[in-house]
Amino acid sequence: MIRIFDFDKVAPEEILNRDIRAEADVEAVVDGIIADVRRRGDEALRDYARRFDHAELDSLLVSREELEEAFAAVGEEFLTTLRMAADNIRHFHEQQVHRDFMVNDTPGVVLGQKYTPIQRAGVYVPGGTAAYPSTVLMDVIPAKVAGVGEIVMTTPAGPDGRVNPNILAAAAVAGIDRIVKSGGAQAVAALAYGTESVPAVDKIVGPGNIYVATAKRKVFGKVGIDMIAGPSEILVLADGGCNPAWVAADLLSQAEHDRLATAVLVTDSPALARAVQAELEVQIPALPRAAIARESIDTNGKIVVTDDLDKAIEAANLIAPEHLEVCVADPFAVLGRIRNAGSIFLGRHVPEALGDYFAGPNHTLPTSGTARFSSPLGVDDFVKKSSFIYYTPEALGRVKDRIADFAEREGLHAHARSVTIRYEEGR
């Protein structure tokens, strides 16, 4: 049963303990896998597919025929849903596109900044206990909007050697360029270093288990990554006017993800806290993934009761959740006071699932409290910024002595000379 805590009587670390560091044995396994993929390339990927996915792969790449078969398998109704969701995601992310700028308000001086999309991105899509076509849309479409030249997706095949048709259909709708049948740390290694079938990419995005997260951390520097994602989280900030059955259902929408997932209710209503605690016991047994939800709720779930809504907001900012539902009478009055959250869901009719699948904002979000300093996946993750400078000879001449003095105060005389030499007679 989920536990109830009094906010004023519990230490912050007791509210949410989230250590996403890998154990030493995970580190060792991932190191070995990365080294093996670098050494043996495609052969290693096939061996890992055989060992972990029980799949014999003639080709590591998804064929055009497989994509067409997936389209037929999922049906027109789901394809329509995918296209509608893709349109919403595309429209939202198009608002994030930056414009180059140039400043020319000083005579002889031009300053500016230009945005350049990365050349090749890798998207990791999980395929273990559940398949996530929504992740395909969320991770691929911002890259397409950003103008990335090529997008390579990796996802494991099943024992039949085929990728889940829902994932393939989403990939086709999103406009993926290449799909590789590989998962786990080995897929991350292939994206980072390249193999015969997998081109090396410039950045890797997408969620995964502890082996995937550890591999992303280890290849960072060779390639860019979006974030190190921990287990999924939801925090429901609710007042006493909420329906406890709705709140319990929203908590379970995360608890069913993973035994390590965290579901937290913060409320100023002791009555709601008790009602939600009871409602969870009613709803959990009815879930197909009841065993996962039960362990998540019993081990990581919490209900935090505060004296008032102000303290509830304080608790939410302290926890800095991945998903934050603001289920109060006037959610827009609260919005400006939320400092730390990956994605914010405003109102009692905005369950997290709306954002997970359909509304448009990205669902690849900072976890483990990193919403204190990081952001959801977006167009910015797929572009680089370059500044540029232009000075006429006259403009440089006006400031040359100041630059030289600055450089010499740092002991960098060649820096100073590189400026002043341009104004020496005969040089």
Side-chain angles (χ1 to χ4, degrees):
M1 179 177 288
I2 197 168
R3 295 161 292 170
I4 298 178
F5 296 85
D6 184 329
F7 181 62
D8 290 327
K9 297 178 181 177
V10 64
E13 60 269 18
E14 292 182 80
I15 295 177
L16 207 52
N17 178 24
R18 301 176 291 194
D19 187 349
I20 62 171
R21 291 175 297 177
E23 299 295 333
D25 58 342
V26 173
E27 297 263 358
V29 169
V30 171
D31 283 337
I33 290 173
I34 292 174
D36 190 27
V37 171
R38 293 185 68 180
R39 183 176 65 254
R40 296 196 296 136
D42 281 3
E43 182 184 358
L45 296 183
R46 289 192 180 89
D47 284 349
Y48 289 120
R50 189 178 303 114
R51 185 189 313 177
F52 297 131
D53 306 320
H54 312 291
E56 291 287 346
L57 301 178
D58 294 328
S59 172
L60 289 168
L61 301 180
V62 171
S63 67
R64 172 57 54 185
E65 291 74 22
E66 287 174 288
L67 278 176
E68 292 172 354
E69 289 171 7
F71 254 72
V74 301
E76 192 57 41
E77 185 68 20
F78 184 55
L79 287 175
T80 299
T81 300
L82 285 174
R83 292 179 182 122
M84 291 174 67
D87 286 344
N88 292 341
I89 296 165
R90 188 176 299 107
H91 179 66
F92 178 84
H93 287 86
E94 283 171 348
Q95 314 313 308
Q96 298 178 345
V97 175
H98 293 285
R99 294 181 179 177
D100 298 350
F101 69 82
M102 190 178 299
V103 179
N104 186 19
D105 52 8
T106 300
V109 177
V110 179
L111 308 175
Q113 182 171 277
K114 67 184 291 290
Y115 291 86
T116 306
I118 63 175
Q119 184 174 344
R120 185 180 289 130
V123 173
Y124 183 91
V125 177
T129 56
Y132 300 115
S134 57
T135 295
V136 179
L137 300 181
M138 293 290 182
D139 289 3
V140 173
I141 290 174
K144 299 291 284 190
V145 171
V148 173
E150 182 180 6
I151 305 172
V152 182
M153 188 180 94
T154 64
T155 190
D160 60 355
R162 290 178 171 268
V163 172
N164 182 287
N166 294 318
I167 288 179
L168 292 186
V173 167
I176 201 73
D177 296 297
R178 186 186 311 223
I179 305 171
V180 182
K181 300 177 182 180
S182 181
Q186 58 272 24
V188 174
L191 289 171
Y193 293 100
T195 72
E196 298 89 335
S197 297
V198 186
V201 303
D202 301 304
K203 188 165 190 175
I204 301 172
V205 305
N209 63 19
I210 188 62
Y211 292 92
V212 171
T214 301
K216 286 173 68 178
R217 178 167 54 80
K218 286 182 173 293
V219 301
F220 176 64
K222 175 66 172 67
V223 295
I225 61 172
D226 52 348
M227 62 188 78
I228 303 295
S232 194
E233 310 162 351
I234 186 172
L235 189 152
V236 179
L237 175 64
D239 61 21
C242 290
N243 184 323
W246 295 6
V247 174
D250 290 356
L251 294 173
L252 291 172
S253 72
Q254 279 306 290
E256 73 170 353
H257 257 300
D258 184 342
R259 288 175 167 83
L260 298 176
T262 299
V264 177
L265 166 64
V266 178
T267 181
D268 60 352
S269 169
L272 179 68
R274 292 189 295 271
V276 171
Q277 185 184 51
E279 185 64 34
L280 285 167
E281 296 307 303
V282 173
Q283 293 189 27
I284 289 174
L287 294 174
R289 295 166 67 90
I292 293 173
R294 166 59 66 193
E295 186 170 344
S296 169
I297 289 294
D298 289 355
T299 304
N300 304 312
K302 295 176 180 67
I303 297 176
V304 180
V305 179
T306 66
D307 291 339
D308 52 40
L309 188 60
D310 289 338
K311 283 190 176 179
I313 295 169
E314 179 186 343
N317 282 322
L318 175 68
I319 293 169
E322 177 187 16
H323 307 92
L324 173 62
E325 290 189 10
V326 182
C327 300
V328 300
D330 186 359
F332 284 97
V334 173
L335 178 60
R337 299 168 64 190
I338 299 299
R339 298 189 308 275
N340 303 324
S343 189
I344 305 169
F345 303 78
L346 296 171
R348 293 172 179 154
H349 288 81
V350 188
E352 184 211 307
L354 178 62
D356 278 349
Y357 298 113
F358 201 76
N362 211 283
H363 82 189
T364 299
L365 303 168
T367 62
S368 306
T370 60
R372 292 179 296 108
F373 54 81
S374 58
S375 308
L377 187 75
V379 170
D380 283 351
D381 287 282
F382 299 99
V383 297
K384 307 168 295 171
K385 294 177 287 188
S386 300
S387 57
F388 58 86
I389 303 168
Y390 170 79
Y391 271 53
T392 63
E394 295 76 17
L396 179 61
R398 291 194 299 267
V399 296
K400 64 179 174 57
D401 294 334
R402 296 185 181 278
I403 298 168
D405 177 60
F406 211 143
E408 287 167 354
R409 287 172 185 271
E410 292 190 347
L412 299 175
H413 301 285
H415 278 62
R417 181 98 171 115
S418 72
V419 176
T420 59
I421 195 172
R422 286 169 163 76
Y423 298 89
E424 294 176 1
E425 292 257 348
R427 302 301 294 268

